[in-house]
Amino acid sequence: MEDERVEVAGVEVSTWHAIGGRRVGSEATFEVRSPADWEHRLASVARGDAATAAQAVDAATVAFPGWAALSAGQRATHLHRLADVIDAEVERIAAVECLDMGMRHESLVERVVPRGAANLRNYADLAAAHEERVWSSKGTRNRVIRMPAGPAVIITPWNAPWMLATWKLAPALAAGNTVILKPAEWSPLSASLLADLAERAGLPPGVLNVVQGIGEEVGAALVADRRVRRISFTGSPEAARSIGATAAHNIVPFTAELGGKGPLMVFADADLDAAAAKAAGQYDDSGQVCLAGTRLLVERSVAEPFLERFHAAADAHVLGDPHDPATTVTPVIHPEHLERIAGFVDRARAEGHEILRGGHLHEGGGLFYAPTLIAPRDNDAEIVQREVFGPVLTFQTFEDEAEAIALANSTEYGLSAIVYTGSQARAERVGRAVRAGTVWVNTFLVRDLTAPFGGCGISGIGREGGDFALEFHADLKTLQILEGSTD
Ligand code: NAD
């Protein structure tokens, strides 16, 4: 047999790995179900092992010299072709991702899937436009050359499979590296589709390989392979510690985009309606968003009117099927994750923190947790300090700007922050004082693909986005030639 395919939302998706331009199976499999309909098994997917990992790194290693030897402009042509294929397949990709991950269909079609193509175009053009730095000093002519580094392993989490795969893939390929992509085992199908699209776009075999399976199994084996020259990881700090240890052992550059516990700070001079609407909007997608502002920090003098507005906005949420455009709160990814969310809230209740809203499974059944707001008794509480990754927010008040900043910076995380204020001076002051990779003022989730992106503290190592990711995927070389010594 050469491949095994299942029909998902009317789209044929391979359940096998994509290695070196071929589909490859595994004896063992793992099951994939739809969060929106848990009784419905979508697929049994090949469960890769150490041998699968070695085979994929073989393919990426063989393909590397040819891909690296192309000019950035030639690689750009390939990436634009892949972007064209993606643009033509938005509906089908969205249909698969919606069933597999449970993300809202409308936002997939309008924003998430097209952004994958935009990313490829962005990096194709950025790499092709790159000019090498050349200068004279000490009688030599100096030139900085970006050398492609080698095969890169890309590991993605379950919450934004398509968006993160394409976000990480684009700079790696544009820089001249070949890729082995390992998507998360709870939502692996759009990565498989991506391999098909890459083949259709004429990407040379072995340039993009997709390996399916469990993180601790095939993921760990990929990371441990000494032929791998870059590791780009997005997921939890726990997995990053293990991957980082292996990367350190093999002396391989490693970026980690990890969890968050972002503050959403509301000052008395803010537009309270906008702030409360955005705060309630943190329940969107059941809060399975690393960048979410999950700690509401509100100036004491406006706490009451803020809460009134917040509850009104939260009451308007619609928990439902991700296909329904009216849905704002989608099902959570997996029963195990639902249990994890419930565990956080149950422990918070047992510790005596006040549940202001929700605090229970959704009465209507399905994989839903009721949007929850908790007023902690103290800032050291687990519910304040640890990422829940669900529709659970905390509510705390502050007296002045200094206290707001101290609270904002009081966790080990530092991925993102949201600030609501009507004062430009305060926006500058607070924006600079908060330790986070991204701070949004009076807005949220607006992203420029060329801006650096990443986290401080346990939210990550390194930056992706724009030139930052291209630099990561290259080995820089300084070439010095004695002036006057050559014609
Ligand atoms: P996870 O760490 O459990 O898994 C992420 C990926 O790593 C999966 O593909 C998994 O199979 C793999 N993996 C796990 N252990 C591994 C190991 N030892 N070796 C190699 N691979 C391994 O995370 P998750 O539960 O899938 O995702 C949720 C987390 O991701 C949250 O913390 C969330 O905040 C974070 N996240 C961060 C960003 C960001 O940009 N900073 C974006 C999305 C999600």
Side-chain angles (χ1 to χ4, degrees):
M1 211 164 26
E2 291 191 339
D3 193 4
E4 210 163 88
R5 290 183 171 255
V6 286
E7 204 179 293
V8 176
V11 181
E12 295 251 308
V13 184
S14 172
T15 59
W16 284 12
H17 319 288
I19 298 179
R22 289 190 310 120
R23 287 286 174 175
V24 176
S26 285
E27 234 166 75
T29 57
F30 62 95
E31 279 198 354
V32 178
R33 290 174 180 269
S34 178
D37 175 11
W38 195 250
E39 300 314 310
H40 178 196
R41 191 183 69 185
L42 290 178
S44 289
V45 175
R47 179 169 176 162
D49 56 15
T52 319
Q55 208 180 341
V57 182
D58 284 347
T61 305
V62 168
F64 174 68
W67 183 247
L70 295 182
S71 69
Q74 288 167 320
R75 286 194 292 268
T77 305
H78 278 288
L79 298 189
H80 276 288
R81 223 178 277 147
L82 177 54
D84 291 343
V85 172
I86 290 170
D87 279 339
E89 291 288 340
V90 168
E91 284 290 344
R92 284 152 56 89
I93 300 164
V96 170
E97 185 93 320
C98 178
L99 263 190
D100 189 21
M101 191 273 146
M103 197 179 275
R104 278 175 297 164
H105 185 262
E106 198 176 33
S107 72
L108 281 163
V109 169
E110 287 177 1
R111 192 171 55 83
V112 176
V113 178
R115 206 186 92 160
N119 236 324
L120 288 159
R121 295 190 197 288
N122 175 46
Y123 274 107
D125 296 345
L126 210 59
H130 173 73
E131 284 181 14
E132 291 173 352
R133 187 179 157 218
V134 183
W135 77 104
S136 291
S137 82
K138 300 189 174 172
T140 62
R141 192 145 176 79
N142 299 263
R143 182 186 290 270
V144 178
I145 295 170
R146 275 183 188 165
M147 292 186 290
V153 164
I154 292 176
I155 299 181
T156 51
W158 51 258
N159 73 312
W162 172 266
M163 180 178 331
L164 291 170
T166 48
W167 164 247
K168 288 171 167 297
L169 191 71
L173 294 181
N177 295 340
T178 51
V179 166
I180 305 118
L181 167 65
K182 211 294 285 168
E185 47 271 44
W186 283 353
S187 54
L189 300 181
S190 61
S192 182
L193 212 50
L194 184 59
D196 279 351
L197 302 180
E199 191 187 341
R200 195 181 320 156
L203 210 65
V207 168
L208 167 61
N209 307 278
V210 175
V211 163
Q212 303 285 12
I214 312 301
E216 293 79 357
E217 298 172 4
V218 75
L222 283 169
V223 165
D225 194 307
R226 298 186 76 136
R227 293 169 296 173
V228 166
R229 296 320 307 154
R230 289 294 183 274
I231 300 165
S232 169
F233 172 75
T234 298
S236 63
E238 293 71 30
R241 287 191 177 100
S242 158
I243 295 169
T246 309
H249 181 78
N250 287 354
I251 315 190
V252 176
F254 158 64
T255 54
E257 305 283 351
L258 309 176
K261 191 74 187 176
L264 189 157
M265 306 159 80
V266 182
F267 289 92
D269 57 16
D271 174 343
L272 279 193
D273 290 322
K278 198 57 83 182
Q282 305 305 305
Y283 293 135
D284 286 358
D285 299 310
S286 268
Q288 301 172 119
V289 177
C290 58
L291 297 163
T294 51
R295 290 182 296 136
L296 310 186
L297 307 178
V298 181
E299 191 160 344
R300 205 157 294 142
S301 60
V302 292
E304 244 177 67
F306 171 86
L307 271 182
E308 250 172 56
R309 289 165 170 80
F310 172 85
H311 283 303
D315 287 345
H317 270 300
V318 178
L319 281 65
D321 191 298
H323 290 96
D324 185 344
T327 294
T328 54
V329 178
T330 49
V332 308
I333 183 79
H334 194 282
E336 268 176 39
H337 192 54
L338 188 61
E339 221 173 274
R340 184 175 172 275
I341 294 168
F344 270 105
V345 178
D346 291 348
R347 287 193 295 281
R349 184 186 284 107
E351 286 165 14
H353 308 297
E354 192 185 354
I355 312 285
L356 299 178
R357 174 178 196 95
H360 50 80
L361 295 175
H362 173 51
E363 292 92 347
L367 298 186
F368 292 98
Y369 199 83
T372 294
L373 185 66
I374 299 177
R377 281 176 17 199
D378 57 86
N379 193 52
D380 294 336
E382 179 197 51
I383 200 68
V384 180
Q385 294 294 328
R386 299 254 69 89
E387 182 189 49
V388 177
F389 219 49
V392 178
L393 309 177
T394 56
F395 176 80
Q396 295 168 278
T397 58
F398 59 82
E399 195 55 47
D400 56 22
E401 201 175 289
E403 192 186 1
I405 291 166
L407 283 171
N409 289 342
S410 69
T411 75
E412 285 188 283
Y413 300 91
L415 187 60
S416 61
I418 308 167
V419 181
Y420 271 83
T421 175
S423 154
Q424 175 66 25
R426 195 198 299 278
E428 292 284 341
R429 274 195 312 271
V430 176
R432 284 175 185 277
V434 170
R435 272 193 71 69
T438 304
V439 179
W440 282 286
V441 179
N442 299 330
T443 185
F444 178 49
L445 283 189
V446 180
R447 290 279 306 283
D448 179 332
L449 299 178
T450 62
F453 177 83
C456 311
I458 63 165
S459 289
I461 300 174
R463 291 292 179 271
E464 298 187 344
D467 269 335
F468 304 89
L470 285 178
E471 296 285 301
F472 169 71
H473 280 288
D475 281 324
L476 296 189
K477 167 163 56 192
T478 306
L479 175 67
Q480 283 186 289
I481 300 175
L482 184 66
E483 273 175 337
S485 67
T486 54
D487 51 13

